[in-house]
Amino acid sequence: MSTLAFIDIINRKRLAGQTAFLLQFNTNDRYFDAEKDDTPLPLRLAISAKFPNHDVGYYSQSTGMMPITRPNDDRKSVFTTNSTEAPVDAITRGIRALRENEKRILIIDFTQFLIPNGTSDMLHPDTSKMIENMVRVSVDDEIRKKDSFVIGINYTRDIHELVKQNWCIIDLPLPDSADRMAYYKLLLGKNGFAPSEDDVSEFEYTSLSKGARLRDIESVMRQAHGEARKVIREDLNAVRETTLKALVGDLLVVRKPSGLTFDDIAGMESIKGYIKSVASAVKAGKYGLAPAGILIVGPPGTGKTYVVDAVAQEFGYHILEWRNMKSMWLGQSESNIDAALQAITANSPVLVGIDEADQILTGRQENSSTDGGTSGYMFGRLLSFMGDGQFKGKILWVLTSNRPDLIDPALADRIGACVPLLRPGRTAVPEIIRSLAKQLDIPIEIDDNELIDLANSLPQQVSVRKLKDLLGMSALRASDDIVRVEDLHSALSDVLFNEDQLKIDYWTTLACRMATYASLLPWRNGQNVIVDNIPDCLKSIVDNKTGNINSSELDRKIRELSITVGM
């Protein structure tokens, strides 16, 4: 969507009698019409340029009231300059000018400072008067008859509820690919900035700059120009992070993937097959075949984070990491999630990763009596967004959790695919150790038989994290930086396997219970059953030939373990 699309929205709403508009989200950028080759302008000047027949006044607390002048326009403005009057007096005067004169626009900047959210007993009397002015202007027939209106510019979404309820709120989008490319070419032509690296195509440029503000694109190009070099890929990758930080703070973070692919991860054949099939469908344009997301559940230390990175690589998506969005301030949590979802949309196609989802995403009943319904609103908003079919295959949610019993059932259902990720069996250990050695850049000289002997001396289904620690300790003990079998055995003799096995069993059984498809059970590999991958706690209830699990016995085992471990 073009950065100036909001002008059309304003004009349509004015036809319906709307007289007050609040602009938010991407309000601190450059704005121009790429098709008309406009000069990029700050928001207040872009608004003035698009309404050439209106007299435009501008107010902020730092400047006071002032007219916005245009080149070759000698008309006298009713918005006379006054930088000393109190904010409530300046706004009252500005609104009076709208009521008494035809074709006037009052732009009020930084509205979050003038009409902040809060209860009436917490507000200063002048703020209460300001809110009253703002509400009245939204239904003022005199202003409407004069073809006048007011525009507020907001930067945080933290604004009084009465204004939200009565003004027309417009979220300004981040620039689309056409605007980003037009601006890039404009900077090259008018400013003489250096282009990107020679092997960066226009398509790659628009892809790397997706989700970026024009001002941030300009910033990296100016820096490269000042350093007498071309814009490189790392510059463009950083642009997205800069924009995201400016718009949503730490609510979403650009996560740099490890570069791991499924080829670098040993085992997990059932997961790999499913992910590869979904990714292939998406790449073929069959977005409707993709789930809204993937919930990866299982005990700690099974490599869930690595799988998230590999999923992103398989789809060719970058990763945004979702953080806890709750705020102690009234109304801020709701604003947080709205801003985050809009930023995610602007960055699509994208993978949104939520680690420890059971802690980050609380359900509808969580704190419902103590937070005024905030948790319920946020959770409902997220479920609604996840269920929007237009985003299927373009916004992929990948959630991880050690405690699937704490995941709200509605969330698990909306996600679409739940994948159990368990600890590997002994037969997978040799391949995992070689894979970890490659990832950690640790040279090893160990033959397969030695690794098999080592695996047989390990507890059944040791965690991937413990194997990683074991390999790291072996590297520290190696005499010449090359790990040999004696180094592994030396490290193994020092490792304590002191986990609570009953808790591991409980989380394991829960993960298997939540599997969406039987083919996703870790001991399944197509039509084959890898018996060694069946956890000890489930061997008595899994058919070794078919891989099918006895559901009623699984439920019974879960109930027994729940009582035993006190969960």
Side-chain angles (χ1 to χ4, degrees):
M1 184 180 294
S2 169
T3 55
L4 286 176
F6 72 92
I7 297 294
D8 291 336
I9 298 175
I10 289 175
N11 285 330
R12 289 199 303 271
K13 293 295 184 179
R14 286 170 60 213
L15 292 175
Q18 186 70 43
T19 57
F21 304 89
L22 182 66
L23 309 182
Q24 59 184 20
F25 193 58
N26 186 32
T27 49
N28 193 20
D29 202 358
R30 303 286 192 185
Y31 307 85
F32 77 120
D33 190 329
E35 294 182 358
K36 296 182 179 179
D37 196 27
D38 285 349
T39 299
L41 297 169
L43 184 54
R44 66 184 186 279
L45 299 182
I47 294 170
S48 177
K50 287 300 177 181
F51 292 98
N53 297 323
H54 282 70
D55 177 20
V56 183
Y58 171 82
Y59 177 81
S60 74
Q61 291 193 75
S62 64
T63 64
M65 185 68 73
M66 59 183 290
I68 294 182
T69 58
R70 305 182 183 91
N72 305 318
D73 188 349
D74 298 327
R75 290 177 296 178
K76 185 176 181 181
S77 176
V78 298
F79 299 103
T80 54
T81 301
N82 187 331
S83 60
T84 60
E85 60 188 336
V88 66
D89 296 330
I91 298 300
T92 300
R93 180 165 67 88
I95 292 174
R96 188 183 308 120
L98 301 180
R99 301 183 83 248
E100 296 175 354
N101 301 271
E102 291 189 351
K103 292 188 177 299
R104 313 291 167 178
I105 302 173
L106 174 60
I107 299 175
I108 305 173
D109 211 350
F110 295 94
T111 50
Q112 70 270 21
F113 298 138
L114 297 171
I115 42 177
N117 205 2
T119 57
S120 57
D121 57 337
M122 296 171 58
L123 298 175
H124 187 278
D126 280 356
T127 304
S128 298
K129 292 177 184 177
M130 186 79 72
I131 294 170
E132 182 180 340
N133 270 335
M134 299 298 191
V135 173
R136 290 185 184 279
V137 75
S138 66
V139 291
D140 195 311
D141 286 338
E142 290 302 314
I143 293 177
R144 178 178 54 79
K145 291 175 183 178
K146 293 291 194 298
D147 191 22
S148 298
F149 54 98
V150 61
I151 295 178
I153 302 176
N154 195 29
Y155 297 88
T156 66
R157 294 177 180 259
D158 184 22
I159 200 166
H160 200 275
E161 283 298 319
L162 284 175
V163 176
K164 289 182 182 179
Q165 294 166 11
N166 289 279
W167 284 37
C168 175
I169 298 178
I170 303 174
D171 285 318
L172 303 193
L174 288 161
D176 59 18
S177 58
D179 274 356
R180 295 197 308 277
M181 179 52 65
Y183 195 59
Y184 174 69
K185 291 180 177 179
L186 183 70
L187 293 173
L188 293 180
K190 291 188 176 180
N191 296 67
F193 289 165
S196 301
E197 290 178 304
D198 294 336
D199 61 338
V200 178
S201 64
E202 290 189 359
F203 174 81
E204 187 178 7
Y205 162 78
T206 55
S207 176
L208 290 173
S209 62
K210 181 182 283 290
R213 297 181 299 183
L214 298 181
R215 58 172 292 180
D216 296 324
I217 294 172
E218 179 179 344
S219 177
V220 298
M221 292 186 72
R222 284 189 180 278
Q223 181 172 349
H225 182 68
E227 296 173 356
R229 62 174 177 82
K230 292 184 176 183
V231 175
I232 58 177
R233 286 180 175 83
E234 286 72 15
D235 294 327
L236 295 172
N237 283 326
V239 167
R240 181 188 288 118
E241 194 166 352
T242 300
T243 295
L244 206 61
K245 180 77 172 178
L247 293 178
V248 298
D250 293 326
L251 306 179
L252 288 170
V253 177
V254 176
R255 194 176 103 200
K256 295 177 176 59
S258 62
L260 286 177
T261 69
F262 278 125
D263 293 334
D264 301 314
I265 299 177
M268 304 184 188
E269 299 306 322
S270 58
I271 297 176
K272 291 177 181 179
Y274 175 71
I275 297 300
K276 287 177 180 291
S277 64
V278 173
S280 295
V282 168
K283 291 174 182 177
K286 300 176 182 178
Y287 298 108
L289 298 181
I294 301 167
L295 174 60
I296 304 173
V297 294
T302 52
K304 291 186 280 290
T305 301
Y306 289 141
V307 172
V308 174
D309 285 356
V311 171
Q313 290 287 341
E314 195 67 37
F315 278 79
Y317 291 175
H318 63 275
I319 302 174
L320 295 183
E321 189 173 288
W322 177 288
R323 300 290 180 85
N324 197 333
M325 301 197 176
K326 284 195 175 181
S327 168
M328 64 179 290
W329 306 110
L330 180 65
Q332 191 61 51
S333 294
E334 295 94 322
S335 297
N336 286 349
I337 193 169
D338 289 338
L341 294 178
Q342 186 153 358
I344 289 169
T345 303
N347 277 273
S348 67
V350 64
L351 184 153
V352 184
I354 308 180
D355 194 23
E356 297 184 347
D358 51 278
Q359 302 297 318
I360 299 296
L361 302 179
T362 53
R364 290 161 293 183
Q365 304 303 318
E366 182 77 11
N367 297 323
S368 59
S369 62
T370 59
D371 67 0
T374 294
S375 297
Y377 169 82
M378 293 178 66
F379 191 73
R381 182 80 175 86
L382 180 61
L383 287 183
S384 176
F385 187 87
M386 286 181 172
D388 193 329
Q390 67 174 315
F391 300 130
K392 287 195 75 175
K394 300 172 185 175
I395 298 175
L396 182 67
W397 298 82
V398 181
L399 285 57
T400 67
S401 174
N402 300 329
R403 294 289 308 275
D405 53 316
L406 300 181
I407 298 287
D408 190 290
L411 176 61
D413 179 69
R414 190 63 56 93
I415 280 292
C418 185
V419 177
L421 185 59
L422 309 184
R423 296 184 170 186
R426 290 191 182 96
T427 56
V429 168
E431 186 182 359
I432 291 173
I433 288 179
R434 293 197 185 280
S435 177
L436 289 172
K438 180 180 177 182
Q439 294 170 28
L440 300 172
D441 195 24
I442 297 176
I444 61 173
E445 288 185 2
I446 309 173
D447 65 37
D448 290 341
N449 289 330
E450 290 174 330
L451 285 178
I452 292 172
D453 290 341
L454 176 77
N456 289 330
S457 64
L458 293 170
Q460 168 71 359
Q461 294 172 315
V462 65
S463 73
V464 174
R465 184 177 297 127
K466 187 68 77 172
L467 291 176
K468 183 178 179 181
D469 293 342
L470 176 65
L471 190 58
M473 179 62 74
S474 302
L476 292 176
R477 297 185 178 204
S479 59
D480 57 357
D481 296 329
I482 297 177
V483 173
R484 296 176 173 82
V485 68
E486 57 267 22
D487 301 314
L488 280 169
H489 279 289
S490 173
L492 179 60
S493 66
D494 197 26
V495 173
L496 297 177
F497 296 93
N498 50 7
E499 297 171 301
D500 187 333
Q501 188 58 47
L502 287 175
K503 284 187 177 180
I504 301 299
D505 291 346
Y506 178 60
W507 293 326
T508 296
T509 55
L510 280 174
C512 292
R513 191 69 182 91
M514 292 188 68
T516 306
Y517 307 108
S519 58
L520 290 176
L521 293 169
W523 51 86
R524 299 288 291 269
N525 183 9
Q527 298 300 315
N528 300 320
V529 177
I530 305 173
V531 176
D532 188 61
N533 282 353
I534 302 174
D536 284 348
C537 63
L538 296 177
K539 286 187 182 298
S540 63
I541 61 174
V542 175
D543 188 312
N544 288 351
K545 293 182 179 179
T546 65
N548 293 334
I549 190 168
N550 187 318
S551 297
S552 59
E553 286 299 306
L554 178 62
D555 289 339
R556 181 187 61 78
K557 187 172 287 289
I558 289 173
R559 288 193 297 270
E560 291 176 352
L561 285 168
S562 176
I563 294 171
T564 302
V565 300
M567 289 184 179

